[in-house]
Structures are given as structure tokens and as C-alpha cells.
Amino acid sequence: MDIINKTKVTVFVFSGLTDNGELAPFLFIFFLYVYIVTIVGNIGIVAVVHNTSKLHTPMYFFLSYLSLVDLLCSSVITPKMLSDLISMRKEITFDGCVLQFFLFATLAGTEVFLFANMSYDRYVAICHPLHYVSIMSKKKCWYLVVLSFSVGFLQSSLKTGCVFSLQFCGSNLIDHFYCDMPPLLRLSSSDTFSCDMGIIFFILSSGMGTLIIILISYTHIISSILRMNSAEGRQKSFRTCSSNLLCVTIFYVSVFFTYLRSPSNVFEKQDKIAAVFYSVVTPMLNPLIYSLRNQVV
């Protein structure tokens, strides 16, 4: 009855990246640069893949969609974060928070499946080169991309419904720089046990599920590479896989650090640093890593 009598939150306020007024302008310039590089890099990857017939292969097909997801993912978070760094009051409406949460969860969920698709593609290319064209057909590639977006949309819909069906009747201060699940759950005045279990379920089913696919793929890849007689062949194979493996490592380490800790352990600064990596920095690094470590691109 006490909760019902309280006023429902209609506007959330972010704590932001920092409350240091002297540090904020430097962070604004730095992350503005990061965002510009993210836009140019990802649009560049999509354009190069689309306009270069030599790159019309499954590997670059998946890479172009990964770049598209990174571009959108960064655009959901970074512009608002930048405006908040130079704003006196960092506000977002309740509906705006729902939309930001839904879009980011959809894109992040899609990204992990695209990483798995790219790892599977490298597994087929290196371990079954004679059957690569027949296995990784254009139809199958489209199917895997559609499946990635569909699963991302579905899990995001369920998480959004879970979080925003809770009561938010007390404080409206989100100790973060965007609408994310852990700080929203800590802010809710409802029992969050079911949503806490939901976090674990989604991380284990989608995050761990795709990670297992990636690990199995690379176990076979490394085993196959080590059996190659040619040193040049081993070096070339490792080079084509290392970009994907590096991007996957950065993304998964930061995500698991944030979401697979006990809700009672509150390390806001560490959470924000990890969140910056997978929401802002990783979308910039992916096109740089794939282009700098790939002679064809």
C-alpha cells in the first residue's frame, strides 16, 4: 500500500561518467573523437565490403553486419552520454529509458550471435576448406544473420518487459551513464529476484551459449592449424582468426565482469569502466582491428 501511494517515476536522472566538472570537458573531447572514429570506421567497413566484389564472401558478409550493429549500438549510447557530459542535469524520460534499454539489449544480443557466426565461418574455412562454399552458402549466411537479429530482438523484449514491469516509485537517480539492467534493478522498489534470475538465465543461454560455440570452433581451428606442415599457411590462418578472437575477448570479458557478479557487490566505478568498453570503445575497436590486421581490407 505504501508503494502504491508513492509517485511513479516519470523521469530518470543519470549520475553520468563523472561528477568532476574539470574532467568532464576532457572526457567529452575524448569520447567525441571515439564516436567519430566509430562512425567513420564502421561505415567504411560496410561501404568497402558492399562495393568490393573480392569481399563478397561469408566472412566479410558477417563483418559488414557486425559493423552495422556496432554503429547502431554506439549511436544508442554515445550521443546521450556526450550531451550529459556538458549538461547540468542528465535526464531521460521513462519512455526514453525503455527505448534505450530495448535497443541496446537487442543490438548487444545480436552482436554475440554474429561473433559466433564469424567463428563458425572461420572453423569451416580452415577445418573443411573443400566444402566451404557448399556449407557457407549465401542462403545459410542470410539465415544465420536473420537468426542473430531475431534472437537479439526476442531476448531484449523479454528483458525489457521484465525490468519495466517493476515499480519505480522511490529515487529516480540511475548510478550509470545509460539505462542498464543492474542499476535499474537496484533502483526498483519491487522484489527483483525474478529479474536477477533472468539476468543469469540470459547470460548463460545467449552469452555462454555463443561463447561455447566460439570456444569449440577455435579449439578445432587451433588444432587444425598446428597440424599444418607449412609455416606460411599456419601464419596466414592464425592471422585470419586473430582479429575475431581479439574482439570477442574484449567484448566478453567486459560484459561478464558487469553482469555475472553478485547483485550485492556494488562497484560503480568498475561497472562504468567495463560498460564503457563494451558499449563505446568496442564498437570503435572492431573495425580498426579487422582492418589493420587484415591485408585484404
Side-chain angles (χ1 to χ4, degrees):
M1 190 68 181
D2 182 50
I3 292 176
I4 295 174
N5 288 334
K6 292 180 180 179
T7 303
K8 183 179 179 181
V9 170
T10 57
V11 175
F12 290 109
V13 178
F14 295 126
S15 64
L17 280 177
T18 180
D19 54 4
N20 187 330
E22 295 180 355
L23 182 60
F26 295 100
L27 290 177
F28 175 83
I29 294 171
F30 174 74
F31 285 113
L32 177 61
Y33 173 77
V34 168
Y35 186 53
I36 292 172
V37 173
T38 301
I39 293 174
V40 174
N42 285 293
I43 291 178
I45 290 288
V46 173
V48 167
V49 172
H50 179 75
N51 293 309
T52 308
S53 58
K54 189 177 181 180
L55 300 181
H56 292 173
T57 64
M59 175 182 175
Y60 298 106
F61 176 79
F62 292 130
L63 177 58
S64 66
Y65 277 96
L66 178 66
S67 294
L68 176 62
V69 168
D70 281 334
L71 175 63
L72 296 174
C73 192
S74 179
S75 297
V76 169
I77 301 298
T78 310
K80 175 60 178 170
M81 183 189 74
L82 289 172
S83 68
D84 287 344
L85 282 170
I86 56 175
S87 299
M88 293 299 294
R89 191 163 176 82
K90 309 169 181 65
E91 294 183 346
I92 187 171
T93 64
F94 186 89
D95 291 339
C97 188
V98 174
L99 181 62
Q100 186 185 60
F101 181 94
F102 172 76
L103 291 176
F104 183 74
T106 299
L107 295 166
T110 302
E111 183 151 354
V112 297
F113 281 92
L114 288 175
F115 277 136
N117 292 342
M118 296 175 76
S119 300
Y120 174 70
D121 171 72
R122 291 299 83 202
Y123 157 73
V124 176
I126 293 173
C127 299
H128 303 283
L130 299 179
H131 303 284
Y132 180 70
V133 175
S134 60
I135 294 175
M136 299 304 297
S137 64
K138 188 174 182 179
K139 182 178 180 180
K140 186 172 185 178
C141 291
W142 274 111
Y143 171 77
L144 289 173
V145 167
V146 171
L147 179 65
S148 299
F149 278 93
S150 299
V151 175
F153 176 83
L154 177 61
Q155 59 88 26
S156 176
S157 299
L158 295 174
K159 285 198 289 188
T160 304
C162 175
V163 172
F164 291 97
S165 64
L166 300 173
Q167 293 284 341
F168 294 93
C169 303
S171 171
N172 67 340
L173 177 63
I174 298 177
D175 192 14
H176 211 355
F177 60 91
Y178 70 96
C179 293
D180 198 13
M181 201 166 190
L184 283 168
L185 293 181
R186 288 197 289 267
L187 199 62
S188 174
S189 51
S190 304
D191 180 11
T192 62
F193 177 78
S194 60
C195 281
D196 288 332
M197 293 301 100
I199 291 178
I200 296 175
F201 171 78
F202 286 119
I203 292 294
L204 292 178
S205 59
S206 60
M208 291 299 294
T210 52
L211 182 59
I212 289 172
I213 294 173
I214 292 169
L215 292 176
I216 291 175
S217 297
Y218 275 100
T219 299
H220 287 288
I221 288 170
I222 293 171
S223 176
S224 179
I225 290 175
L226 293 176
R227 291 197 301 268
M228 292 180 179
N229 296 323
S230 169
E232 184 180 350
R234 287 196 298 270
Q235 185 179 10
K236 182 179 179 181
S237 298
F238 270 122
R239 189 166 56 244
T240 60
C241 299
S242 59
S243 300
N244 179 249
L245 194 57
L246 181 58
C247 291
V248 166
T249 301
I250 295 172
F251 182 83
Y252 274 92
V253 168
S254 56
V255 168
F256 285 165
F257 175 84
T258 302
Y259 293 102
L260 286 185
R261 291 186 292 107
S262 170
S264 61
N265 294 332
V266 181
F267 302 105
E268 288 87 357
K269 290 184 179 179
Q270 291 90 328
D271 283 342
K272 289 180 182 180
I273 292 171
V276 165
F277 264 95
Y278 68 77
S279 64
V280 179
V281 177
T282 299
M284 177 195 70
L285 289 179
N286 285 347
L288 292 179
I289 291 171
Y290 279 105
S291 58
L292 293 176
R293 296 182 64 85
N294 190 307
Q295 293 179 352
V296 178
V297 176

